[in-house]
């Protein structure tokens, strides 16, 4: 099946610094990727839709200047958490949709555990 | 699905019994529904999907039922095994927003020997 890889799987950063999370589709091309955030014991909440070659679309309440998304190629989207604070600590998960298999499910990465200290 | 807050319901099931997990969704325009399994510290894993023109679909040991009238989805797991212990989420989407999923609150399934 299709594979989506996230890197890193875990990261600890100091408050005020920025951290970048990568989401790669390994065996398919994706014009669209999605970023979710999940707090402990809660569901996944969609943060933004990442569009290759254009600006990301953010969900209501998500600060686009804080969560920078870049989708520069058909296999890579990055999420940068800028000026991270402890409340940004969460599990960040990406998913990707195969651009040639438009009516199949989106495939999820394994997630990135961000801890801001 | 409807994400209803901080509480994660728990379903305790004895090994070998059948499990039924329920989910409500709110968007009547949704036409594609998916069940995911999530183990601790991992991303969601696809289990089974169903489109809105169906009301039942079966996979290996799993069955999904869709009731569009009351916007309800259920997942049945036959002969539950210890490896089925995880959090289960339903998700829904609209065809014109393919891949953009609305997740339900989730249910923690605990399989006891």
């Amino acid at each position: 099946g299709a594979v989506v890889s996230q890197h890193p799987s875990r990261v600890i950063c100091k408050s005020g610094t920025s951290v970048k999370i990568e989401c790669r589709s390994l065996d398919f091309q994706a014009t669209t990727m999605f970023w979710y955030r999940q707090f402990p014991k809660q569901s996944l909440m969609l943060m933004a839709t990442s569009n290759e070659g254009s600006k990301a679309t953010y969900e209501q309440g998500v600060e686009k200047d804080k969560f920078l998304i870049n989708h520069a190629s058909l296999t890579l989207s990055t999420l940068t958490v800028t000026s991270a604070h402890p409340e940004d600590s969460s599990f960040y998960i990406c998913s990707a949709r195969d651009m040639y298999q438009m009516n199949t499910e989106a495939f999820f990465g394994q997630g990135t555990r961000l801890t801001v200290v | 699905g409807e994400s209803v807050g901080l509480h994660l319901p728990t379903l305790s099931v004895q090994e070998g019994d059948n499990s039924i997990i329920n989910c409500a969704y709110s968007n009547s325009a949704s036409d594609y529904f998916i069940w995911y399994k999530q183990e601790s510290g991992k991303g969601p894993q696809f289990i089974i999907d169903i489109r809105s023109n169906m009301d039942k679909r079966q996979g290996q040991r799993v069955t999904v039922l869709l009731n569009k009238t009351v916007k309800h989805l259920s997942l049945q797991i036959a002969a539950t095994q210890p490896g089925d212990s995880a959090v289960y989420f339903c998700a829904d989407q609209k065809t014109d927003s393919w891949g953009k999923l609305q997740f339900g609150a989730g249910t923690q399934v605990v399989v006891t020997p």
Side-chain angles (χ1 to χ4, degrees):
Chain A
V3 177
V4 174
S5 176
Q6 276 184 247
H7 178 80
S9 56
R10 290 177 178 270
V11 59
I12 301 172
C13 71
K14 290 185 177 180
S15 189
T17 63
S18 296
V19 64
K20 181 186 287 187
I21 303 169
E22 294 184 347
C23 179
R24 292 182 186 274
S25 55
L26 297 187
D27 50 2
F28 64 96
Q29 293 181 317
T31 52
T32 307
M33 293 184 177
F34 303 90
W35 287 97
Y36 296 82
R37 180 169 52 183
Q38 185 179 31
F39 292 108
K41 302 293 186 183
Q42 293 190 37
S43 188
L44 285 76
M45 297 298 294
L46 180 66
M47 298 175 67
T49 303
S50 174
N51 304 299
E52 188 267 336
S54 65
K55 290 183 179 180
T57 306
Y58 290 82
E59 295 300 301
Q60 192 172 8
V62 177
E63 300 175 59
K64 63 180 179 8
D65 294 330
K66 181 166 184 63
F67 298 100
L68 300 179
I69 291 171
N70 184 273
H71 193 153
S73 79
L74 288 173
T75 58
L76 174 64
S77 174
T78 60
L79 169 69
T80 301
V81 183
T82 63
S83 186
H85 290 285
E87 57 265 30
D88 299 322
S89 298
S90 189
F91 194 51
Y92 292 87
I93 309 170
C94 71
S95 71
R97 194 178 73 181
D98 187 333
M99 63 184 290
Y100 297 115
Q101 303 280 343
M102 296 299 277
N103 287 333
T104 59
E105 75 272 17
F107 303 100
F108 282 85
Q110 73 272 36
T112 297
R113 174 75 61 193
L114 170 63
T115 303
V116 185
V117 297
Chain B
E2 288 186 17
S3 187
V4 294
L6 302 180
H7 177 65
L8 194 65
T10 299
L11 175 67
S12 292
V13 183
Q14 196 155 15
E15 183 178 356
D17 287 351
N18 297 335
S19 305
I20 299 176
I21 307 164
N22 296 302
C23 179
Y25 64 95
S26 56
N27 190 350
S28 56
S30 292
D31 51 16
Y32 180 59
F33 307 86
I34 312 171
W35 278 100
Y36 287 96
K37 173 185 180 183
Q38 187 181 30
E39 296 174 325
S40 182
K42 297 184 179 179
Q45 176 187 350
F46 174 89
I47 301 173
I48 191 168
D49 59 1
I50 188 168
R51 298 181 194 275
S52 59
N53 59 352
M54 303 172 69
D55 52 22
K56 180 179 180 179
R57 189 161 187 236
Q58 288 185 291
Q60 189 177 10
R61 280 202 308 121
V62 294
T63 301
V64 56
L65 299 177
L66 173 63
N67 185 330
K68 295 182 289 295
T69 303
V70 295
K71 296 202 283 287
H72 183 268
L73 202 63
S74 69
L75 177 71
Q76 300 175 6
I77 305 174
T80 312
Q81 303 168 0
D84 295 327
S85 292
V87 178
Y88 290 80
F89 293 99
C90 70
D92 60 277
Q93 68 174 46
K94 298 186 298 179
T95 299
D96 61 359
S97 301
W98 202 260
K100 183 176 176 180
L101 297 168
Q102 177 75 32
F103 279 82
T107 298
Q108 174 86 55
V109 172
V110 177
V111 182
T112 56

